[in-house]
């Protein structure tokens, strides 16, 4: 699976040179994950409880309750931070804040990752300052660090089929808002959760953030000559989400990679005063 992702990155580096730097940096991080597997979750969940939660509109987990292997995720996070520090020319012996000399130990990293899943903006902002990182970069590293655990958790929990049964704009697995959408070959719209990787069907004429379904206040734009990629936006909440139209593309990458390969769409949306996921 990882080799497939690496191949897609190499393909998109050639096709979308404006995003090559971000794609190559992501490839470096994927190569650092290695073959070490996170520990299995401590226990499963009764199938009836899964169905009850789904039918009541509750995600299987709240983000703050996800049973992640934080020791494994913290080790990955430390590798990413060391790699980032090396690229910036900082001390290779460890990441430290030049003024406060805060060490990146296991306790610090596990708390940081728990704050990421709980979306604790105060802790994340302070951690970013301590590590001399932008908050966006910290989010990116943390999301990638917990991804192996969440992938294993989703396989372990065997979420009941949600196609056409989950009508909400938040993830049925972890409750997060979507980060991208795609149109299948049949034209059906699906939302994608960048936190846990879950996908689910969603109406095409409906905002995935405020659930506005007034067609007159919904729209999209795309770059001329860049078929298959567009920005869907809502005038009511002033938010946008990027969409991959698989009907117009011979080959598509996993959406975490497509997200990086379409950064110019984020820039265009920002210039229009729109807020992203």
């Amino acid at each position: 699976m990882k080799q497939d992702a690496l191949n897609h990155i190499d393909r998109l580096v050639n096709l979308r040179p404006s995003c090559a730097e971000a794609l190559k940096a992501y490839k470096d991080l994927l190569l650092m994950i290695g073959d070490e597997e996170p520990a299995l979750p401590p226990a499963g969940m009764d199938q009836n409880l899964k169905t009850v939660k789904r039918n009541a509109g509750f995600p299987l987990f709240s983000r703050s309750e996800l049973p992640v292997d934080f020791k494994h995720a913290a080790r990955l996070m430390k590798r990413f931070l060391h790699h980032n520090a090396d690229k910036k020319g900082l001390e290779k012996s460890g990441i430290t804040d030049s003024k406060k000399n805060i060490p990146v130990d296991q306790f610090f990293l596990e708390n940081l990752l728990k704050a990421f899943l709980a979306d604790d903006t105060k802790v994340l902002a302070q951690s970013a300052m301590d590590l001399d990182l932008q908050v966006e970069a910290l989010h990116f590293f943390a999301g990638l660090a917990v991804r192996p655990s969440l992938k294993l958790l989703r396989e372990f929990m065997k979420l009941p089929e949600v196609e056409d049964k989950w009508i909400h704009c938040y993830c049925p697995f972890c409750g997060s808002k979507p980060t991208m959408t795609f149109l299948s070959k049949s034209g059906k719209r699906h939302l994608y959760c960048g936190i846990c990787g879950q996908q689910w069907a969603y109406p095409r004429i409906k905002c995935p953030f405020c659930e506005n379904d007034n067609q007159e206040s919904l729209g999209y734009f795309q770059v001329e000559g860049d078929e298959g990629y567009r920005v869907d936006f809502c005038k009511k909440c002033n938010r946008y989400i990027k969409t991959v139209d698989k009907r117009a593309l011979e080959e598509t990458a996993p959406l975490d990679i497509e997200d990086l390969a379409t950064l110019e769409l984020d820039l265009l949306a920002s210039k229009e005063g729109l807020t992203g996921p």
Side-chain angles (χ1 to χ4, degrees):
M1 185 65 73
K2 184 194 294 186
Q3 188 57 52
D4 287 343
L6 299 177
N7 292 339
H8 278 297
I9 290 175
D10 291 338
R11 176 178 60 83
L12 288 169
V13 163
N14 294 322
L15 288 175
R16 309 181 72 82
S18 63
C19 301
E21 184 177 352
L23 288 165
K24 289 177 181 177
Y26 190 45
K27 181 178 180 179
D28 288 343
L29 296 177
L30 289 181
L31 288 169
M32 295 172 64
I33 291 179
D35 298 323
E36 179 188 0
E37 292 285 340
L40 280 170
M45 183 182 293
D46 181 79
Q47 189 69 29
N48 290 332
L49 179 57
K50 296 178 190 177
T51 303
V52 167
K53 282 194 167 191
R54 180 195 65 196
N55 292 340
F58 292 109
L60 206 57
F61 297 97
S62 67
R63 280 180 50 168
S64 61
E65 297 173 344
L66 285 163
V68 167
D69 181 350
F70 285 105
K71 293 187 184 306
H72 177 267
R75 288 195 294 271
L76 288 180
M77 188 72 179
K78 190 167 188 176
R79 291 177 199 168
F80 300 156
L81 292 173
H82 275 282
H83 176 71
N84 182 69
D86 289 348
K87 290 190 69 173
K88 292 168 63 176
L90 301 179
E91 289 294 326
K92 296 183 180 182
S93 58
I95 310 294
T96 57
D97 181 89
S98 58
K99 296 180 180 178
K100 301 178 183 178
N101 197 37
I102 296 176
V104 183
D105 58 21
Q106 190 77 11
F107 179 78
F108 174 87
L109 291 174
E110 289 191 26
N111 279 343
L112 185 161
L113 292 166
K114 290 174 183 177
F116 166 73
L117 289 175
D119 199 21
D120 189 329
T121 55
K122 184 176 180 180
V123 170
L124 291 172
Q126 182 60 55
S127 298
M129 289 181 60
D130 294 341
L131 295 167
D132 192 26
L133 278 176
Q134 293 184 346
V135 173
E136 294 79 7
L138 186 65
H139 272 260
F140 188 79
F141 290 150
L144 189 56
V146 299
R147 187 175 300 165
S149 283
L150 295 182
K151 180 178 181 295
L152 186 65
L153 178 63
R154 284 181 55 226
E155 294 171 351
F156 180 74
M157 295 303 298
K158 297 179 180 177
L159 184 67
E161 181 61 51
V162 296
E163 187 76 14
D164 296 325
K165 295 179 181 178
W166 185 259
I167 61 174
H168 308 287
C169 61
Y170 48 88
C171 175
F173 192 81
C174 70
S176 301
K177 287 291 188 178
T179 54
M180 284 195 79
T181 74
F182 70 89
L183 300 178
S184 67
K185 293 292 185 180
S186 66
K188 196 167 192 175
R189 187 190 198 191
H190 291 75
L191 304 185
Y192 167 76
C193 175
I195 299 297
C196 72
Q198 181 69 45
Q199 301 174 0
W200 67 102
Y202 195 74
R204 288 183 62 169
I205 311 299
K206 196 171 188 179
C207 175
F209 301 112
C210 71
E211 300 186 288
N212 168 38
D213 59 3
N214 182 349
Q215 189 168 359
E216 293 183 359
S217 57
L218 297 169
Y220 72 89
F221 66 82
Q222 58 191 131
V223 177
E224 186 176 354
D226 194 12
E227 300 296 328
Y229 299 97
R230 75 186 200 195
V231 170
D232 290 291
F233 62 85
C234 174
K235 295 179 182 177
K236 184 177 179 180
C237 66
N238 207 44
R239 298 188 71 176
Y240 78 91
I241 193 163
K242 294 183 294 186
T243 295
V244 177
D245 188 348
K246 295 188 176 184
R247 299 171 301 175
L249 298 166
E250 291 184 8
E251 188 176 6
T252 56
L255 289 185
D256 56 319
I257 297 173
E258 294 285 9
D259 192 15
L260 291 173
T262 52
L263 291 176
E264 57 188 342
L265 290 180
D266 293 294
L267 294 175
L268 290 174
S270 179
K271 288 180 181 179
E272 294 294 326
L274 299 167
T275 302

